[in-house]
Structure formats: structure tokens, C-alpha cells
Amino acid sequence: MTKQEILSLLKAKLGTGFIAHTEPIPDQLWVEVKPQASVQAVELLHRTTKARYLVSVGSDERELKKRFGVYHLFSFDKEHFFVTIDVSADPHKPVLPSITNVLAGANWSEREIRDLLGVQFEGHPDPRRLVLADDWPNEVYPLRRDFDYSSKPPSNPENAYPFKDNPPNTTVVAMGPYFPVFEEATYFRLYVEGEKVVDVDYRGFYAHRGIEKLGDASLTYNQIPFIAERICGICGFVHNVSFCKLVEHAAGIKVPRRADYIRTIMLELERIHSHALWLGVAGHIIGFDTVLMQTWRMREPIMWLCEKLTGNRKTYGMNLIGGVRRDITKAQVPEVRKKIDAMDKEWQAVLDAVKDDTTLRMRLEKVGILNREQSHEWAAVGPVARAADIDMDSRKDHPYCAYDAVDFKVITADTNDVWGRTVVRILETIESFKIVRQCLDALMELPEGDIITEIRDEIPAGRIAISAVEAPRGEDVHFLLTGGDNRPYRWRVRCPTYPNLPTVQVMVKGEQVADVPIILGSIDPCFSCTERMEVADVNTGKIRVYSQEELANWTTKRS
Amino acid sequence: MQSLVKMIIMVALLLFVSPLLEGVLRKFKALVHSRLGPPLLQPYWDILKLLGKDDVRSPHAFLGPLPAFLGLAAILAAGLLVPLGNSAPFASGDLFLFLYLIGFASVCVMLAGMDSGSPYGFLGTAREMMTSFVVEPVLFIALITVAIKTRNFRFSDMAAWQQISGTSLSTIISGLALFLGIQAQLSKLPFDIPEAEGELMGGTFAEMSGPTFALYRWGFIAKQVIFSMILAQLFFPWPLGLVGLWAVVAQIVKVVLIVVLVGLIDVVNPRLRIDQALIYYFGVILMAIVGLVFALVGA
């Protein structure tokens, strides 16, 4: 479908609910609708045109336009553009109809907007707190612009998280908040009957860092790439590129070609080491430590290579708006090629070993099913969607950096299970080796040195941009509304785990307890990217040691 | 008097030499992993460390450390029946007593899991029970096969008979079945399902700490040697015709080989789910029964 067709469809079906449309930048269609028409607009895009839902962004625009803005972002992958449904909420009584009933994937976005901005969604099926810590008072909305980023509201210990009730004849098995196979804090409450998982409840967002608030309130455009990189410890460079691309997009800055290739190389190196890491962790989860040890050994030379190229093993600090800070010189190219070739060879051996391992297949096949329809409904991204036979990859769909110039395949599988996700990741890594080699060839031809565009003018206010960058785990979406003071007005990060994590609740129902960790592992969860909101409560620094009696008493009281 | 000395030697062997074998196993696993691995003596330090710790126990526990003591005692008692060289320290070395003692040791582990009052412990116990139901028949059938073959229920006589007449088709089949059974008896991958640190955080042992936990670990390490010794002496009595000390030496070499082989299977497999493991073990039981049938027809 073209933009015109979508526009006429929306106009025809929404009638008076349609207000206006603009095309702020070439790959975007911005449609303003009235609140009562928003549900229908979303339904049209999601069900009729099969557009892929990205995320909803809430923004406090009371100073600008006397309203709260809520943007529902959609992507037309094969047509290479984004459509945004823009809904306004009354600044004094912000209530909007909920779209979660027609689009399950919007569940978290709406709860988050409610928590942080105070926009209520009528008819939401699960109106519990999502992002804010349990002890935060009600009626405090930290992402509103009149909330100072350093303020600390009084604790309200009465607020407890209301978990779902036990279904009949079930017991609770807690996985988390701290659990051996989950690298970070997250809590899955399993309701089990024997070994079978009947129902599951989730509570996450334990580690709030307030990065978006810092971006809106304190940091400048050139500082944010470095904090954006710290959103995630593994796909940091992706966030970094996402943000730079966003500002470049909004302000129309042209990046030198050599910088594009360097960014592409770093992005692919990141994918290679991330997939190697994932395969190891997945092996560890199902007790196959040999895989863990071997893939991590193979990953190490790549990390050394990154250190040689950028000065850091991870968190490279390579990007600035307009380009990169370090060149990959022609003298360095042969070494990169050597390391890549060596890893390629070893990776083929891994592929052969994994492919023929019957025990491994017994554990991974037909486990954690998420089919094509469910994947679309929950807006899953990355290997999770690709294993459900959805051909989506933002490297192809919304080309950025040098991906328009390199040749690679989008790997898909149609098994819908954990095994499919494993295969997709392993084969994808082989494509990454190919991409790096092509970029190296290009670097040999381009002149050295021209790696950054100098920016003299101020970035104009009121511009809008969306960027989608394919992280190892899936698509990473950043949204930007530029503001004055050399900083964003609203910057929204939607990491790949954010849409993938709710799908785990779909996948584990009816499975066995033993499969839950690997199902969760199969989405390659990154809780640190997901839990990226809010100003953390700084603890008092007091240390106290509990005696055995106290601990015992405490356990008895709680249980 | 002589049997008393033998007994003391046997218990000392099980308690103080078996951790060394565990150390060898760990080094071997590290080799496959491309790691250096812990020092050879690490299992000793682990046990010493645990013995020196406070025993923190769940407030629901009412059995306390009792199952740990009983379990270790049962394993050591079972060890006394096992042939060292060609004769068992307890010359009778009764097969049925051995089976009861080993069964009792697993019941102790289950009791500990139930006693912990934690959902992980309960799930672990349920899995342990299911595993026991399919693994103990393997042990039972395999040993009965040798008994039928040798027309004797005493381990030392069985071992001596095997040493003279050599192995046969039936004992090789049941020996292989027993080897596969050992994997689960010792909670080695792919059958460490009751403990499964991935999903159950140690399952039956989730709430264990300090000396109690040390006793369970020690028991497992000793059990490893006991099963390997049985397998080496009753099922694979090569080289034939050895007597006295030489038989013991050959047995030690074989035990090390078996433990390393168990370790190899452990490192190249992921953990199975309990339902998959049960189906697998029904196959192993079938295999053991085939061995038994061969023994009955005299092969």
C-alpha cells in the first residue's frame, strides 16, 4: 500500500474523526485523529492493512500545544515508511480510549504512559502499575515536564503490587526477582499444576535509571549518544547509532560515507558477539555448559578486535551526531579480516555440531510456540518474529548506514519455536561475517579521514523523527521530538525486548516448568534496556547485618 | 579381625579417596570446556568449607540434618558390600541388602527435599521420585542378570565367578544398561533433572547449606565410586584371572575410566525434561530386560 492509499482509507473510514495529516520527513506519514476515532484508526492499520505496531509514545505538550500527545507508531515494512496516529488528550482531564483491546501489543505502552504521564486509558484490560516502583506514591507522574529530574517523592510503602490470584489447584513457583539463569532482576510468577504451567504473571522494571528523563531535562544532543550507549551492555552501539541517526534525520545532516561503513562494521561485530553470547547463555540455561564455554571462547577475539578498533571492549563511544570519532584505517583492515575469517570457520563448526545434536533438538523443538498471528498481535520483533516466518529486518526495511549497499539475506524459519530462534540466530551470524567483509572492501576504496560532518547550526526545534535499527535481539526504535536548549523535547526508546518480553507470557502457558527458562532465554531478554525509566531512589548507604534469628523470623512471617 | 580392617579401609577409601576422583572428573570437564579448571584437590576444600559453615535451615524443616546422616550412612554401608578386587569386605555382600540401602539413600534425599518446605524442593522431590521409579529397576534387573548368570546372590562370589569365566553377552547388555542408569543415579547430565539449577535452583537441595549439604555431596561422590566399582568388577571383569592386589589395581583403573566416561556424557549433553527422561529410561529398562532374557536362556 502506498501512503496515498492509506490516507484515503483512513479518511473514508474515520469520517469526522480524521483531523489532518502531514509528512514531516519523506519516510513518514503523520495522521492526527480525534480521541474517539483512535481505536478505529489503530484497528484499521493493525488488522486491515497489517501494519506492524511499534510502540506508543506519550508526551507532555502542555507548554507547546496545551495537550498531552499520544502517538501510536506503525511501520509498513515492505513499503519502507512509518505511519503515526497522533491523539491529543485534554491537559486537565487526560482520558483516552484504550487500544489494547484491539492490539494486544499496546498493553505495556499504555500502562507506561499512564504511570509516567498520567494519561488514563479507559477500558484497559490490565490497569496495573507497570513501570513505577511499588513504593512510589500515586498521582506522581515523573515524565511530566514540571517534575524535576532530581526530585525524590516520599515513599509510600502501602502500595503493594497486586499479583493475579492463584487459579484453582495450582501452586506458585517464583522465578525471580533474582534467579540463577536470569542475568538481571525480573520476576515471573508461575502458577503450576505438577510440572505444567497453567498461568503466569510478570513484574519487572526493578532497575530504573531515568535515562529518558535525563535526555529531556539535562543532557545535550552531543552528550546523549554516550548515555544512550549505556542503555544496554550488549547492544549499546545500536542505541548509540539509533540516537545519532534520529538527530541526523530530524535536522537533515548528511553523514560521510566512510562513517556509514564504519558504523555498519561495528553494528555487525556487535551482532556477532551478541549471538555468540546468546548461544552460550542458552546452552547454560539447559545445562549444556560446553556450548557456553566454547562460544564465549570464540567471542573473545572479537572483543579484543573491538578494543583495538575503538579503545573499548564494549561501550565503544564511537558515535557523535554527524559521524564517528575514530577511523578504521586501511592498515587495520587485514587484521579485522583475519579475525572475522577465523571466527567464521569456528562458527561453521558450531553450526554443524548444533544441527546434529539430537538431545539439544529434543529440548528446543516444539517448545515456546509463538505463531505468525500471535507474533503480529504482540508486535514481536527480531529473531522471535523471524522464527515465526515473518520476513522483517529493519536493515532491509528501513535501510540505514551502509545497509543499502551491502548484500545479505534475511534469515527466517517457520517452526515458531525455540529451535527456530536458535537457527535464525546462528545463520544470521554467518550473514554478518559476509556484511563485514563487504564493508572492509568498501573501506579500502574510500579515502581515509573523512569520517564526521561538522555541525554549525543549531538543531531546529519541533522536528520529529523515528529511527529503527536492527539490534541483535530485534528492532530498536527511537522516537524524537526536538526541543530548544540543544536537547530533545521528548525522546522515547523502545528496545527490542520491550515488545518481546510480553510474548513470553503467551509462550509459557501450557508448557513445563523445565522449559520456562529457555523460553524466556529464547527472546534474548535484556532487562536493562527494558527497564530504562525513572529517577532511581538513592539508598541511604547504611549497612546492617541480619542475624540468623531475624532471617528465620522474617521468613516465617512472610510465608 | 581381618574383615574389620577391610571395612575400615573400604570406608576410608569411599570417604577420603573418592573426592580425588571427583577432582579428576572436574579437571576432565574443564579440558572439554577449554578451561583450566579448579585444582585437583578442590572437592576436599569444598567439603571442608561446607563442614565449617553454619547450618542455615528452613523454619519449616522438622527432620533437620537426620536424612543427611542416614543417607550417607546407607551409602557407606552399601559400599561395604561392594567387591574390592574379588572379595567384598563383608564377605556376604548380599545383593538385596545393597539394593535396599541404595534405595534408602534416595529416599533420604527425597525426604530432605520435602522437608525444606520450598516449592523448588517439592518439585525436585517429585522429579527425584519419578526418576527413582524408572532407574532403580534398571539397577535391580542388571544385578539380577549377573546373579542368574553366576547362580549366586553374593557380590564377592559373583565377582570371583566372573573373573574366572569371563563376561558374556547378557552381562555386557545389562552392563551397558546399568552404565546408562548410573548417569541418573548420580544426577549427572543429561539426567540431573531433580537438581536442575537452571529452573529449580538445586531442587531438592535448594534449601541446603553447611554441614548438611556437605554430607549429601559427600554421599554423591562416594556413590559415584560405588557404582563404578560394581560396574567394573561384576560386568566388565577384564583382564581375566587377576587375583589379590592386582585385581584391585585393575579395578581402580577401570573405575577412573568409567567416571571419566560418565563425565564425558555429562559435558556433551543438555539436560532433558523429566518426561523425555522417563521415556528414555523405559527404553533402558527394556534393554536390561533383554539382557535378563539372554541370561535366562544361558547366553
Side-chain angles (χ1 to χ4, degrees), chain A residues 215-287:
Chain A
D216 297 357
S218 169
L219 302 174
T220 63
Y221 285 125
N222 253 343
Q223 290 169 327
I224 294 178
F226 300 99
I227 195 139
E229 187 153 26
R230 281 155 177 80
I231 288 173
C232 178
I234 298 299
C235 39
F237 196 76
V238 172
H239 286 286
N240 190 327
V241 170
S242 294
F243 182 78
C244 292
K245 224 165 68 69
L246 205 58
V247 181
E248 285 154 12
H249 224 49
I253 298 161
K254 184 106 182 66
V255 179
R257 201 62 184 149
R258 194 174 177 84
D260 272 346
Y261 278 107
I262 292 170
R263 281 180 180 179
T264 310
I265 289 178
M266 295 315 297
L267 282 171
E268 290 310 316
L269 288 181
E270 203 162 68
R271 189 182 323 281
I272 291 165
H273 88 67
S274 174
H275 281 345
L277 176 130
W278 177 83
L279 190 60
V281 170
H284 174 66
I285 289 174
I286 55 172

Side-chain angles (χ1 to χ4, degrees), chain A residues 273-541:
Chain A
H273 88 67
S274 174
H275 281 345
L277 176 130
W278 177 83
L279 190 60
V281 170
H284 174 66
I285 289 174
I286 55 172
F288 202 167
D289 279 343
T290 311
V291 172
L292 170 78
M293 294 296 166
Q294 297 301 340
T295 52
W296 283 37
R297 177 181 56 72
M298 286 154 59
R299 175 176 175 256
E300 201 57 28
I302 302 289
M303 310 288 283
W304 279 95
L305 182 66
C306 290
E307 182 171 351
K308 208 149 198 181
L309 295 178
T310 68
N312 293 299
R313 279 164 64 88
K314 256 322 292 148
T315 317
Y316 313 122
M318 275 280 270
N319 275 326
L320 275 181
I321 289 155
V324 291
R325 295 170 66 217
R326 267 178 184 240
D327 202 355
I328 297 179
T329 59
K330 286 178 183 171
Q332 284 173 319
V333 166
E335 195 188 344
V336 181
R337 200 184 292 272
K338 215 175 108 199
K339 286 266 161 59
I340 290 293
D341 288 345
M343 171 117 184
D344 195 356
K345 217 168 133 197
E346 281 190 302
W347 196 253
Q348 290 287 350
V350 168
L351 176 61
D352 293 340
V354 169
K355 204 172 61 200
D356 299 332
D357 196 319
T358 45
T359 334
L360 200 62
R361 290 183 79 138
M362 268 167 88
R363 276 310 303 276
L364 302 183
E365 273 178 339
K366 304 210 168 42
V367 165
I369 300 284
L370 188 79
N371 61 31
R372 210 186 151 93
E373 286 71 40
Q374 287 165 326
S375 178
H376 182 69
E377 186 60 35
W378 288 90
V381 295
V384 179
R386 286 198 283 276
D389 205 16
I390 294 176
D391 174 17
M392 59 152 290
D393 189 325
S394 37
R395 291 178 292 174
K396 277 261 197 275
D397 300 335
H398 305 286
Y400 52 93
C401 295
Y403 285 108
D404 48 354
V406 294
D407 171 48
F408 65 98
K409 281 205 300 273
V410 176
I411 307 289
T412 56
D414 55 3
T415 51
N416 305 336
D417 55 6
V418 178
W419 173 249
R421 283 159 221 151
T422 313
V423 171
V424 165
R425 286 201 177 91
I426 295 178
L427 294 179
E428 229 171 61
T429 315
I430 292 173
E431 296 297 312
S432 291
F433 295 129
K434 272 201 249 167
I435 297 173
V436 175
R437 288 203 194 97
Q438 292 172 42
C439 291
L440 292 176
D441 290 340
L443 281 190
M444 289 306 276
E445 300 193 349
L446 289 167
E448 272 184 29
D450 182 22
I451 51 167
I452 191 158
T453 310
E454 209 177 322
I455 302 157
R456 294 212 169 75
D457 309 324
E458 199 178 308
I459 310 260
R463 297 271 183 96
I464 279 160
I466 300 171
S467 76
V469 171
E470 191 72 14
R473 322 187 134 83
E475 182 196 46
D476 179 34
V477 177
H478 283 221
F479 170 91
L480 175 73
L481 176 59
T482 58
D485 297 347
N486 204 21
R487 74 168 62 107
Y489 189 85
R490 175 78 171 99
W491 167 41
R492 168 74 153 102
V493 181
R494 194 226 62 190
C495 77
T497 306
Y498 195 76
N500 280 347
L501 201 49
T503 65
V504 171
Q505 304 180 40
V506 181
M507 291 193 258
V508 299
K509 272 184 201 168
E511 300 282 1
Q512 292 192 24
V513 176
D515 288 327
V516 175
I518 186 62
I519 291 173
L520 179 65
S522 75
I523 68 162
D524 198 358
C526 178
F527 301 111
S528 72
C529 325
T530 315
E531 307 183 351
R532 74 230 174 286
M533 284 282 184
E534 282 344 291
V535 185
D537 203 335
V538 181
N539 57 34
T540 50

Side-chain angles (χ1 to χ4, degrees), chain A residues 172-175 178-181 194-195 284-290 293-294 297 357 359-360 362-363 367 512-515 517 548 552 555-556 559, chain B residues 31-35 54-57 59-60 119-120 123 126-127 130 189-190 197-201 266-277:
Chain A
V172 172
V173 172
M175 286 202 177
Y178 296 101
F179 203 69
V181 295
E195 289 268 337
H284 174 66
I285 289 174
I286 55 172
F288 202 167
D289 279 343
T290 311
M293 294 296 166
Q294 297 301 340
R297 177 181 56 72
D357 196 319
T359 334
L360 200 62
M362 268 167 88
R363 276 310 303 276
V367 165
Q512 292 192 24
V513 176
D515 288 327
Q548 190 179 342
T555 335
T556 343
S559 53
Chain B
L31 191 75
V32 180
H33 285 171
S34 313
R35 294 188 278 128
D54 262 1
D55 217 357
V56 180
R57 222 168 291 120
H60 305 282
Y120 306 112
L123 268 175
R127 291 174 175 197
M130 283 191 255
L189 284 163
E197 45 91 41
E199 61 255 23
L200 294 185
M201 304 208 289
D266 181 278
V267 284
V268 298
N269 275 303
R271 185 183 310 117
L272 284 176
R273 273 202 316 260
I274 186 77
D275 54 332
Q276 295 168 337

Side-chain angles (χ1 to χ4, degrees), chain A residues 155-175:
Chain A
S155 169
N156 176 8
E158 256 86 89
N159 273 3
Y161 191 74
F163 281 104
K164 281 188 206 165
D165 290 332
N166 276 26
N169 305 325
T170 56
T171 41
V172 172
V173 172
M175 286 202 177

Side-chain angles (χ1 to χ4, degrees), chain B residues 19-280:
Chain B
L20 188 66
L21 202 61
E22 176 76 9
V24 172
L25 185 61
R26 282 185 172 192
K27 270 282 182 204
F28 173 73
K29 278 193 201 171
L31 191 75
V32 180
H33 285 171
S34 313
R35 294 188 278 128
L36 284 176
L40 211 55
L41 298 183
Q42 190 63 42
Y44 292 98
W45 310 141
D46 284 354
I47 289 171
L48 272 179
K49 177 193 75 183
L50 284 172
L51 284 176
K53 276 188 162 184
D54 262 1
D55 217 357
V56 180
R57 222 168 291 120
S58 146
H60 305 282
F62 58 94
L63 288 178
L66 192 66
F69 283 110
L70 289 178
L72 184 61
I75 288 171
L76 291 179
L80 289 180
L81 307 176
V82 168
L84 181 65
N86 289 343
S87 59
F90 264 151
S92 59
D94 185 68
L95 185 154
F96 294 101
L97 183 56
F98 174 79
L99 285 172
Y100 277 121
L101 285 170
I102 288 296
F104 181 67
S106 4
V107 168
C108 286
V109 171
M110 288 180 218
L111 279 178
M114 302 255 244
D115 193 32
S116 68
S118 112
Y120 306 112
F122 277 111
L123 268 175
T125 304
R127 291 174 175 197
E128 177 81 39
M129 249 180 230
M130 283 191 255
T131 318
S132 289
F133 284 145
V134 285
V135 172
E136 275 172 18
V138 176
L139 181 63
F140 182 77
I141 298 170
L143 287 177
I144 287 290
T145 307
V146 183
I148 287 173
K149 199 72 203 145
T150 58
R151 309 203 175 280
N152 210 318
F153 284 129
R154 290 164 74 166
F155 277 142
S156 47
D157 293 348
M158 280 152 79
W161 196 90
Q162 288 279 64
Q163 198 74 72
I164 294 160
S165 61
T167 181
S168 59
L169 185 64
S170 56
T171 49
I172 286 186
I173 292 176
S174 48
L176 289 177
L178 180 61
F179 175 75
L180 296 172
I182 288 184
Q183 209 80 18
Q185 272 283 357
L186 300 178
S187 275
K188 297 278 184 210
L189 284 163
F191 306 109
D192 73 333
I193 307 164
E195 284 167 45
E197 45 91 41
E199 61 255 23
L200 294 185
M201 304 208 289
T204 34
F205 303 118
E207 302 283 327
M208 300 284 154
S209 66
T212 324
F213 188 47
L215 294 185
Y216 285 113
R217 302 247 349 130
W218 219 346
F220 264 96
I221 292 172
K223 218 162 132 183
Q224 185 165 303
V225 177
I226 293 174
F227 277 105
S228 314
M229 279 167 84
I230 290 220
L231 196 64
Q233 216 51 21
L234 293 189
F235 293 87
F236 303 109
W238 301 297
L240 294 178
L242 289 179
V243 281
L245 205 56
W246 284 114
V248 177
V249 172
Q251 193 181 15
I252 289 171
V253 173
K254 278 186 278 180
V255 164
V256 173
L257 278 179
I258 288 168
V259 166
V260 165
L261 217 62
V262 167
L264 184 67
I265 294 179
D266 181 278
V267 284
V268 298
N269 275 303
R271 185 183 310 117
L272 284 176
R273 273 202 316 260
I274 186 77
D275 54 332
Q276 295 168 337
L278 291 185
I279 290 169
Y280 177 86

